[in-house]
Amino acid sequence: MRQFRPLYGNRKQLFSLILPPHQLPQHDTRRDGFAAILLRSDPGFLPLLNAVNALSPVTQWDPLPFDLQTLTSGAVAFVVDLAATVTSQRAAVTQRSAAVQTQLNVAAAAAPGPAQVDALVAAAKALLGDDTIVIPEFGLVVGQGDDWANAVAASTGGALLDWLKTTAKIDFPVEEWLTGAARVRPALRAWEGVGALSGALGRPDPALLPIQLPFEANAPWLALQFRPNYVIASDRLLYTAHYSAPFDKTARQCGLLLDEWSEVIPATDRDTGITFNFARPDNEPPQTILVVTPATANGQWQWEDLVGALNETLDLAKKRAVEPSQLDNTPYAPLLPATTLAVTLYAISIGASLTVANGALKNLAAAYNV
Amino acid sequence: MSSALQVGPIAAALRQRLFPTITRWNRLEARPRTPSFERALQAEIRDPLWMLMKQWQMGEFRGSDAGSPTFAKLQIALTRLTKYQPASLATQAFEQDVPLEAKVERRPVPLTRAGRPIAFDLRLAMGREWLRSILPIGAYRAAFIAAYPIAAPDWTKPEDAEFCAHQEVWQVLAAAAAGRAMDGGLLLQHLSANPANHAYDGVAGIAAGDFTAIDAAAMAFQAWFGRLLLQPPTAGDNAWVPERLEYQFAASAPEPGGGEKVYVADEFYQDRLDWYSFDVDAAQAALGAVTGSGVTGLPPQITRAMIPTPVSFSGQPNTRWWTFEDSRTNFGDVDANTTDLAKLLFMEVALVYSNDWFVIPFTLPAGAVATVNGLVVTNVFNEQFLITAAGSGADASWQRWSMFTVNVLHATGAAADTSLLLPPTLAKIQRGPAQEDVMLLRDEMANMAWGVEATVALASGEPKRGREAARETLAFYTQVLATQLGGPPPPPPPAKAPIRYKVMSTVPENWIPFIPVHVPGSNREIQLQRAAFPRILEGDPNPPVKVQPLTALLREGLDQNPAAPYFLAEEEVLRAGTRVLQTFERTRWTDGQVYTWLRAIRRTGRGEGSSGLTFDYLENI
């Protein structure tokens, strides 16, 4: 309708020149009708269209057709599109809502614990998308909280960075550490970018507070060089964080972990070893203890008794290893091993026939057809 | 029992003597033999005598004509690396307080490229550091930002392509420009250009009373940047050899006789620097003279008597029958083919001879060169044995094989060097993402080589894929040209034939050509020289400019004044391709000191490449 305004203004004088006088009132009525349409406030699309249609056609004054058809069909297409969008949005909302409800039902049914948390996280992801991160809150037990609070106090009080600032003359240790580490850690580089641009855009620099755990009073910060006589007795956790609120050990905590890595501070000395091959004896001590009592109780040991006891023990031990094949060529072969059992062909007497067990008797019986 | 042999009512059968029979005897014979070893290996326990028997069976009681070692007396000659020579430059004293990797591998961190500022991540960090350090002096923040500004990129200027073509760079610069952030790189450039320069030169509104404080801050600022990034000085200490794409350096240690042992590492490009990177150069008697290099700070010899300890390692077989191995390493499960000789040798040593190895611990300072002058082992029978080094003999002997000893170069028939070189290198290095990644390819069809910039560092310091960067740059130039011409270039006239003649095909801008040229003084040997393609823009009235590489690795010599050509030895571009990366590394040293440096790494590439570059051809349209 806005497009109509210049048309109307420009042609007024022209029309009054070229129109026959008797058509002028008709033209003016129609023109006033259009003007009135322009002045209507928010009449809605359809009444507006009908009003314009009622004033059309204007072919008697305007050789160019004033065509509302494209506008109408455009409006129809728009409405169809809108309806389709709303329908699909509605379907998506319904689907998502159902997915969330499913997970909520799972959570309600699950026992309190990891399963319930997993279900609730899944519900949040179903609602907001897969990239949703749910950050857990945690509380600190008393010992941990004290350690943390002490470490924070040592850092804010300046004790932690004191050596670096006064002796090593590093004015901004944390920033120096960050700038160095950001060269090799992409996550810290992103954080560095946040710092650089927040300063540029007039926001305060996000300050980092370094702490070192387990807390040790007067220990230097180990992220940069430290005083030469300091001995690192154990592994340290260097936890450098941006606290959006001052640390309170009694409050619930939560945060985002950007990056973590481990560093090794090498020693000036290296442990090496000189290895050599030396054919040492391969024998081993016995697994048993031999208790020998004297053969005769005359109060004195006889050397022969001891030697005899040892030899006998070894002989006895070796006997454990004897196999029947080793007896086969000896005169004892018919007698040993002495596990003999009586047997008769018919079960007329007490006996134990081993041939029953190995099936030989069955074959024998079959062969003799008995 | 078969029913035929069963006796019915036994009383009647006996009474009537129905079954006359002879009683015989059958015997139960145990046969402790089975094809499966499973039961035997369970090492079951029975009575004490049986346990003794098992040990006797395993030969644990068999006497051998040997004694266990009780003492080892050894003398070690010690010396230390005291001289260092990067590439073929002047010799200098070996710095003990810098890790050797950092010293050798460091490369300059470019802050400009073709005279234009880059590395804005560093420049911003430097600016912030400076503004932080002058904060206690006075309210000069705005004055310094105004004096060392970051220029806003101009969309209409072709020379601002590096800033405007890539969205990442443009965003950073747009946010930092217009008096919001300070370009610390400009300040550093100003300070280091001349020691007489002051940070407040040309800065408006600095009170004269603050000059001293600002000068002190400037000193601290320069020291800070020196600590932040370890860079080679402008001349005289750079081990990187661009023609060979590798590091070359030498180090030497004084010897007791007054001579020197010269170690050379003339082909170092691998990930790690350790003993295997070094060779003893017998042809070099000594490196250049350096005052104080004769002092090692170590005793020349150490003599010690020690008790040798049996070597033990995870998964080592235990020689005793009823003792069990640590099951975490199972050598029995190692799958070795018949051709895996090294693996089989290792297995044999580990499984068969492991209990015959002894170790004497010895702590050495990093950088030391230790030679065992003699090692005498005394056993329980007071017999003494002189132990000689395993890898001794002629160095060139093909049967000689040893670990931790260094090869001897340039001496025919020389004895093997059995001393231990303990370079002061690092256990753990953090490596950042590749800032630059160049693939050097042979292109046999075009008879040339290509340096394909797979990753380039943008002006913001971010690495980006070279192909995308090249496409964005070309798109920017096309757009600038269209703005200048007032519209896109006119389309080519309609073709009469379905073919079109082309003088040359185009290649992406990140493909840098290397053309073969003769080595000076030779008419057979060739080397590769960096060339350049013209950047041809449709409808551009100006003559085309050369496309320059974006990586510092391939820009060698370009940023000099005057620019120098870059020659590359053609044998360094392998048929399999050569890949050169440049990346930041960071580590800690003994006093906790942090070292961060930019280094180059070379790796084998992924084969040949074809650019599709052709000349004088007809194109179907």
Side-chain angles (χ1 to χ4, degrees):
Chain A
M1 287 305 113
R2 293 276 166 206
Q3 290 168 346
F4 196 73
R5 200 190 291 271
L7 181 88
Y8 167 75
N10 287 343
R11 294 200 174 180
K12 191 180 173 189
Q13 293 83 10
L14 189 69
F15 286 165
S16 56
L17 285 176
I18 57 171
L19 281 180
H22 70 274
Q23 283 193 7
L24 264 178
Q26 200 183 354
H27 166 263
D28 286 352
T29 321
R30 201 71 71 84
R31 185 198 62 198
D32 294 344
F34 278 115
I37 288 171
L38 274 181
L39 295 174
R40 289 169 69 160
S41 60
D42 191 24
F45 181 73
L46 194 61
L48 198 60
L49 189 67
N50 287 338
V52 173
N53 272 335
L55 296 173
S56 300
V58 287
T59 38
Q60 43 191 333
W61 300 295
D62 193 352
L64 288 175
F66 179 55
D67 185 18
L68 286 170
Q69 191 54 42
T70 32
L71 189 66
T72 320
S73 50
V76 170
F78 172 69
V79 169
V80 170
D81 275 2
L82 195 64
T85 311
V86 169
T87 313
S88 66
Q89 290 290 350
R90 183 189 154 81
V93 167
T94 316
Q95 195 182 0
R96 197 174 283 199
S97 149
V100 172
Q101 194 54 51
T102 314
Q103 294 298 337
L104 288 179
N105 291 345
V106 172
Q116 199 175 36
V117 173
D118 286 349
L120 287 174
V121 170
K125 288 197 173 187
L127 182 63
L128 301 169
D130 279 344
D131 294 337
T132 312
I133 300 173
V134 178
I135 305 161
E137 277 187 357
F138 58 95
L140 297 167
V141 298
V142 175
Q144 286 174 343
D146 290 346
D147 233 20
W148 195 334
N150 286 338
V152 167
S155 180
T156 47
L160 186 68
L161 304 177
D162 181 54
W163 185 86
L164 282 171
K165 285 186 176 174
T166 53
T167 313
K169 301 285 179 212
I170 296 177
D171 294 333
F172 307 102
V174 183
E175 286 78 6
E176 179 166 335
W177 165 81
L178 175 69
T179 315
R183 304 275 77 75
V184 291
R185 311 292 310 182
L188 288 194
R189 191 193 165 90
W191 176 261
E192 187 194 35
V194 169
L197 293 183
S198 59
L201 298 176
R203 307 282 305 164
D205 271 14
L208 290 174
L209 184 73
I211 65 166
Q212 190 161 278
L213 294 171
F215 173 68
E216 182 192 333
N218 296 322
W221 196 41
L222 297 181
L224 294 175
Q225 62 258 52
F226 45 87
R227 55 173 190 260
N229 54 356
Y230 183 71
V231 179
I232 306 172
S234 67
D235 288 356
R236 294 297 160 83
L237 171 72
L238 276 69
Y239 176 81
T240 307
H242 172 68
Y243 293 83
S244 57
F247 176 71
D248 176 7
K249 64 182 174 184
T250 56
R252 306 277 295 164
Q253 315 282 335
C254 80
L256 285 174
L257 178 69
L258 292 187
D259 203 354
E260 57 180 336
W261 69 91
S262 62
E263 291 180 5
V264 176
I265 294 176
T268 44
D269 289 342
R270 308 285 157 89
D271 289 332
T272 63
I274 299 147
T275 312
F276 61 92
N277 186 273
F278 193 87
R280 68 160 179 186
D282 286 333
N283 27 32
E284 299 285 341
Q287 292 279 4
T288 47
I289 296 172
L290 177 62
V291 182
V292 182
T293 51
T296 49
N298 58 0
Q300 279 188 329
W301 277 103
Q302 297 296 314
W303 178 248
E304 288 76 18
D305 283 354
L306 273 179
V307 173
L310 274 176
N311 281 335
E312 191 186 2
T313 310
L314 272 181
D315 278 348
L316 285 170
K318 286 177 187 172
K319 277 174 188 154
R320 297 291 193 280
V322 171
E323 292 187 24
S325 62
Q326 288 167 316
L327 294 172
D328 278 352
N329 299 326
T330 66
Y332 300 109
L335 304 172
L336 289 175
T339 327
T340 48
L341 307 128
V343 62
T344 53
L345 179 60
Y346 296 97
I348 195 71
S349 175
I350 296 168
S353 175
L354 298 175
T355 49
V356 174
N358 62 15
L361 187 66
K362 206 173 181 179
N363 296 340
L364 198 72
Y368 288 93
N369 199 19
V370 286
Chain B
M1 186 182 275
S2 164
S3 58
L5 298 175
Q6 279 179 359
V7 180
I10 197 159
L14 283 173
R15 199 164 49 241
Q16 297 170 27
R17 301 188 183 199
L18 288 178
F19 299 97
T21 186
I22 301 168
T23 301
R24 287 166 299 146
W25 304 90
N26 57 12
R27 190 166 82 185
L28 190 62
E29 288 189 5
R31 179 126 326 238
R33 290 273 159 226
T34 161
S36 158
F37 278 100
E38 214 158 282
R39 187 87 188 269
L41 288 177
Q42 283 172 3
E44 291 171 347
I45 293 178
R46 304 264 184 271
D47 63 345
L49 285 173
W50 190 80
M51 294 173 80
L52 281 181
M53 178 276 288
K54 218 56 190 165
Q55 280 191 288
W56 170 75
Q57 267 190 332
M58 294 295 147
E60 291 187 9
F61 297 153
R62 189 176 298 141
S64 46
D65 185 14
S68 301
T70 49
F71 282 112
K73 192 158 191 178
L74 78 162
Q75 191 189 54
I76 285 186
L78 278 184
T79 179
R80 185 176 224 164
L81 298 176
T82 54
K83 287 184 191 174
Y84 169 78
Q85 184 190 24
S88 45
L89 303 167
T91 309
Q92 48 177 286
F94 195 95
E95 280 185 83
Q96 307 286 356
D97 52 355
V98 181
L100 185 57
E101 279 104 334
K103 172 100 174 160
V104 170
E105 294 166 357
R106 59 190 184 174
R107 301 254 301 135
V109 180
L111 289 178
T112 55
R113 184 158 59 200
R116 311 276 301 167
I118 55 163
F120 273 97
D121 55 343
L122 278 172
R123 285 172 173 269
L124 284 175
M126 288 153 81
R128 290 176 76 208
E129 173 75 15
W130 175 253
L131 294 179
R132 261 197 298 269
S133 61
I134 56 151
L135 194 62
I137 301 173
Y140 297 135
R141 182 186 160 89
F144 274 102
I145 290 180
Y148 299 103
I150 288 175
D154 188 343
W155 282 85
T156 57
K157 282 188 188 160
E159 57 266 30
D160 271 7
E162 274 189 289
F163 305 151
C164 299
H166 317 292
Q167 191 194 14
E168 304 91 321
V169 187
W170 186 80
Q171 281 175 341
V172 169
L173 288 182
R180 294 194 194 94
M182 174 184 154
D183 185 350
L186 289 178
L187 173 64
L188 186 79
Q189 202 181 339
H190 174 69
L191 289 174
S192 49
N194 186 351
N197 284 353
H198 299 284
Y200 47 78
D201 293 340
V203 183
I206 306 282
D210 289 334
F211 282 1
T212 328
I214 288 180
D215 276 342
M219 292 285 286
F221 175 70
Q222 283 171 293
W224 164 80
F225 193 68
R227 277 198 308 271
L228 183 70
L229 291 171
L230 188 72
Q231 297 190 63
T234 39
D237 190 2
N238 196 342
W240 177 251
V241 183
E243 303 86 67
R244 299 256 155 213
L245 298 173
E246 64 203 16
Y247 294 102
Q248 291 181 356
F249 66 98
S252 77
E255 284 196 309
E260 261 179 42
K261 185 182 268 186
V262 179
Y263 289 96
V264 292
D266 51 3
E267 248 182 81
F268 169 60
Y269 51 77
Q270 297 89 347
D271 284 20
R272 299 300 301 269
L273 177 64
D274 213 336
W275 56 271
Y276 42 75
S277 310
F278 293 88
D279 293 311
V280 170
D281 189 354
Q284 279 198 69
L287 296 181
V290 173
T291 355
S293 66
V295 183
T296 61
L298 300 174
Q301 278 147 10
I302 297 179
T303 310
R304 267 186 208 166
M306 300 179 93
I307 299 175
T309 331
V311 167
S312 63
F313 49 88
S314 180
Q316 183 182 26
N318 212 316
T319 52
R320 218 167 164 193
W321 181 242
W322 272 287
T323 48
F324 293 95
E325 289 88 23
D326 158 26
S327 61
R328 275 176 299 176
T329 311
N330 186 2
F331 281 113
D333 215 24
V334 172
D335 190 19
N337 282 323
T338 46
T339 48
D340 294 343
L341 291 183
K343 207 188 267 185
L344 288 167
L345 267 173
F346 170 73
M347 295 271 292
E348 186 172 341
V349 169
L351 293 175
V352 181
Y353 300 107
S354 63
N355 65 329
D356 280 343
W357 286 98
F358 291 84
V359 65
I360 306 164
F362 208 94
T363 304
L364 288 171
V369 181
T371 317
V372 179
N373 283 347
L375 169 62
V376 174
V377 176
T378 312
N379 70 5
V380 286
F381 302 114
N382 205 21
E383 292 174 300
Q384 294 192 324
F385 299 90
L386 177 70
I387 312 276
T388 50
S392 54
D395 184 68
S397 165
W398 66 270
Q399 287 169 315
R400 197 180 82 85
W401 186 89
S402 74
M403 297 253 303
F404 310 111
T405 59
V406 173
N407 190 23
V408 180
L409 290 181
H410 305 131
T412 330
D417 185 85
T418 55
S419 54
L420 173 75
L421 168 67
L422 206 61
T425 50
L426 294 156
K428 184 159 186 158
I429 300 177
Q430 288 176 286
R431 181 171 294 165
Q435 293 289 108
E436 296 182 357
D437 186 351
V438 175
M439 311 282 266
L440 289 151
L441 311 169
R442 279 173 181 257
D443 185 349
E444 299 293 357
M445 292 307 289
N447 192 24
M448 59 192 293
W450 295 96
V452 182
E453 297 179 317
T455 303
V456 297
L458 297 181
S460 61
E462 297 276 336
K464 187 170 179 126
R465 286 182 52 183
R467 200 183 171 80
E468 284 174 33
R471 201 181 296 143
E472 287 174 359
T473 309
L474 193 64
F476 175 76
Y477 282 120
T478 315
Q479 187 198 338
V480 170
L481 182 68
T483 320
Q484 282 173 358
L485 297 178
K496 297 251 168 53
I499 48 172
R500 180 179 292 150
Y501 172 72
K502 289 246 176 174
V503 179
M504 186 182 85
S505 65
T506 55
V507 289
E509 288 202 355
N510 61 328
W511 285 59
I512 306 300
F514 279 81
I515 48 174
V517 293
H518 280 299
V519 171
S522 166
N523 56 8
R524 297 183 68 83
E525 275 186 275
I526 57 159
Q527 57 185 353
L528 298 168
Q529 182 180 7
R530 178 185 54 210
F533 265 106
R535 177 180 292 126
I536 294 169
L537 302 168
E538 290 284 344
D540 189 2
N542 303 313
V545 289
K546 287 178 182 175
V547 176
Q548 287 194 345
L550 294 177
T551 52
L553 288 166
L554 294 188
R555 287 189 71 85
E556 199 62 49
L558 260 187
D559 292 328
Q560 287 173 15
N561 194 14
Y566 174 39
F567 294 102
L568 176 64
E570 60 95 31
E571 61 268 25
E572 302 298 344
V573 183
L574 308 174
R575 253 187 97 80
T578 301
R579 186 174 170 209
V580 193
L581 300 115
Q582 200 157 259
T583 169
F584 278 108
E585 286 196 344
R586 177 178 185 272
T587 195
R588 309 293 303 276
W589 194 232
T590 50
D591 49 357
Q593 176 89 41
V594 178
Y595 285 98
T596 311
W597 69 98
L598 187 65
R599 74 159 293 191
I601 312 169
R602 192 170 114 190
R603 297 200 177 129
T604 309
R606 288 193 228 128
E608 293 180 28
S610 174
S611 60
L613 176 68
T614 43
F615 297 93
D616 291 340
Y617 69 107
L618 287 176
E619 187 186 57
N620 291 323
I621 54 172

